[in-house]
């Protein structure tokens, strides 16, 4: 029972207290460090509770699909040239467009892609493949699903060099353990003059210290499963693309003011980068 757990913790605490030296500075240092470590372990404990199951679902939804008007408007404008065929992207040997999408989920963005293109879906969520294949279950799909890869953005080893016309990266780099390596992978798989289309949330340009950012990242990682705010703007600009067209925006969450550190989800960069 809970009371037994509390009693056991008290016993452990008493044992540790008796074991520590009497020096007040040492005790303060030990208890301070223990408190910090304990707080940082909270995400791992809470993620195993039923309470956070719904939060996990909301996290998947935010990173793969959204109804936020600002994001839909940006995404529609960014990918418009794909749908209309007004792009100048390189094609494969058969004259077809090859698109690689990160955090593909169930294929929410395929409505933005042109008929006849070849689609490579990437996602580390184990349920994505089933949802995606349901969307491609038609007898004559207008888009060819070339393959689904359950992996993270920086591990695209099975995709050959210089074979992809465009990479679509929407809310994907924030969940990458190594965004710089992921960007290098995008450059590797893209054909010359290929593009990376991106929409990513980033560090705010206006305020806060590095310590406050670390607290925001702690809360985000606790609630949003590996979502991490970083300086993606600089990382994209210095990755080695020949041209980067990038804009900054702070999202309006349907008129709702996000509480405290969760406001860190609002700052976004979007645009495209050319190999």
């Amino acid at each position: 029972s809970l009371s037994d757990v509390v009693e056991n913790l008290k016993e452990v605490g008493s044992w540790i207290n008796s074991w520590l030296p009497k020096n007040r500075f040492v005790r303060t240092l030990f208890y301070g460090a223990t408190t910090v470590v304990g707080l940082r372990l909270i995400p791992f404990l809470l993620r195993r509770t039923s309470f956070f199951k719904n939060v996990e679902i909301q996290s998947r939804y935010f990173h793969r699909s959204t109804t936020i008007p600002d994001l839909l408007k940006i995404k529609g404008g960014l990918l418009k040239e794909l749908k209309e065929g007004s792009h100048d992207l390189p094609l494969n040997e058969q004259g077809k467009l090859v698109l690689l999408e990160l955090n593909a989920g169930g294929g929410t963005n395929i409505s933005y892609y042109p008929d006849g293109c070849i689609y490579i879906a990437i996602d580390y969520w184990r349920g994505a493949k089933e949802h995606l294949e349901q969307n491609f279950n038609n007898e004559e799909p207008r888009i060819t699903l070339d393959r689904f890869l359950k992996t993270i953005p920086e591990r695209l080893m099975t995709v050959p060099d210089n074979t992809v016309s465009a990479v679509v990266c929407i809310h994907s780099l924030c969940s990458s353990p190594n965004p710089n390596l992921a960007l290098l992978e995008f450059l590797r798989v893209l054909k010359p003059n290929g593009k990376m289309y991106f929409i990513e949330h980033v560090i705010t340009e206006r305020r806060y210290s590095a310590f406050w950012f670390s607290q925001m990242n702690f809360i985000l990682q606790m609630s949003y499963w590996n979502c991490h705010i970083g300086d993606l703007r600089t990382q994209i600009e210095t990755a080695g693309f020949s041209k980067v067209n990038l804009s900054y925006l702070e999202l309006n969450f349907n008129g709702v003011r996000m509480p405290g550190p969760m406001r860190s989800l609002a700052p976004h960069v979007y645009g495209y980068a050319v190999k």
Side-chain angles (χ1 to χ4, degrees):
S1 66
L2 181 60
S3 59
D4 292 333
V5 173
V6 172
E7 288 301 319
N8 290 335
L9 288 176
K10 285 183 179 179
E11 291 179 6
V12 172
S14 298
W15 177 80
I16 293 174
N17 187 64
S18 64
W19 173 78
L20 287 173
K22 300 299 182 183
N23 186 289
R24 181 176 295 180
F25 173 77
V26 174
R27 284 175 173 267
T28 302
L29 185 64
F30 175 82
Y31 285 125
T34 302
T35 301
V36 171
V37 171
L39 288 173
R40 294 295 176 174
L41 286 175
I42 288 176
F44 301 100
L45 299 175
L46 291 183
R47 288 176 193 174
R48 286 158 176 78
T49 65
S50 58
F51 173 79
F52 266 70
K53 289 298 182 182
N54 184 59
V55 179
E56 183 180 3
I57 293 171
Q58 293 299 320
S59 170
R60 289 202 303 266
Y61 180 74
F62 177 79
H63 287 88
R64 291 164 180 81
S65 176
T66 181
T67 57
I68 298 173
D70 283 351
L71 274 181
L72 291 175
K73 183 178 179 181
I74 290 171
K75 185 162 61 173
L78 192 63
L79 303 178
K80 182 179 179 180
E81 65 179 22
L82 293 178
K83 185 71 172 179
E84 295 182 346
S86 57
H87 58 81
D88 56 354
L89 295 171
L91 307 178
N92 68 2
E93 294 77 4
Q94 290 75 41
K96 293 186 176 183
L97 200 66
V98 181
L99 301 178
L100 184 149
E101 182 178 358
L102 287 306
N103 276 10
T108 304
N109 294 322
I110 59 177
S111 60
Y112 295 96
Y113 303 151
D115 294 355
C117 72
I118 296 174
Y119 182 58
I120 302 173
I122 308 293
D123 206 313
Y124 62 87
W125 173 43
R126 61 182 178 274
K129 183 178 181 181
E130 180 182 352
H131 289 277
L132 189 67
E133 289 177 343
Q134 288 176 358
N135 283 333
F136 282 86
N137 201 25
N138 301 323
E139 291 183 4
E140 296 182 5
R142 66 179 189 85
I143 294 174
T144 301
L145 177 59
D146 181 74
R147 74 192 96 161
F148 170 84
L149 299 176
K150 183 181 179 298
T151 185
I152 53 179
E154 58 267 41
R155 294 181 181 172
L156 305 179
M157 289 82 75
T158 59
V159 181
D161 298 359
N162 304 311
T163 55
V164 173
S165 307
V167 170
V168 179
C169 185
I170 299 177
H171 287 159
S172 302
L173 288 174
C174 64
S175 52
S176 170
N178 192 334
N180 287 321
L181 183 57
L183 289 165
L184 290 177
E185 277 290 88
F186 302 163
L187 282 166
R188 179 185 66 79
V189 302
L190 279 171
K191 287 176 170 288
N193 297 317
K195 283 184 180 179
M196 176 185 75
Y197 298 93
F198 60 89
I199 302 174
E200 297 287 350
H201 62 97
V202 295
I203 287 177
T204 179
E205 295 183 340
R206 295 190 299 177
R207 56 179 177 170
Y208 303 133
S209 65
F211 176 77
W212 183 238
F213 283 132
S214 72
Q215 302 314 304
M216 289 192 292
N217 276 326
F218 169 57
I219 292 176
L220 284 176
Q221 289 169 14
M222 180 176 70
S223 305
Y224 280 84
W225 274 250
N226 298 323
C227 181
H228 181 86
I229 299 174
D231 190 11
L232 291 177
R233 176 172 191 160
T234 300
Q235 290 171 322
I236 291 172
E237 290 177 332
T238 59
F241 291 96
S242 63
K243 178 183 178 182
V244 176
N245 186 311
L246 181 148
S247 300
Y248 178 86
L249 170 74
E250 294 215 7
L251 288 181
N252 179 354
F253 289 88
N254 298 329
V256 178
R257 182 175 173 81
M258 299 294 283
M262 298 308 290
R263 268 175 270 167
S264 57
L265 290 172
H268 277 66
V269 292
Y270 64 94
Y272 64 86
V274 182
K275 178 176 176 179

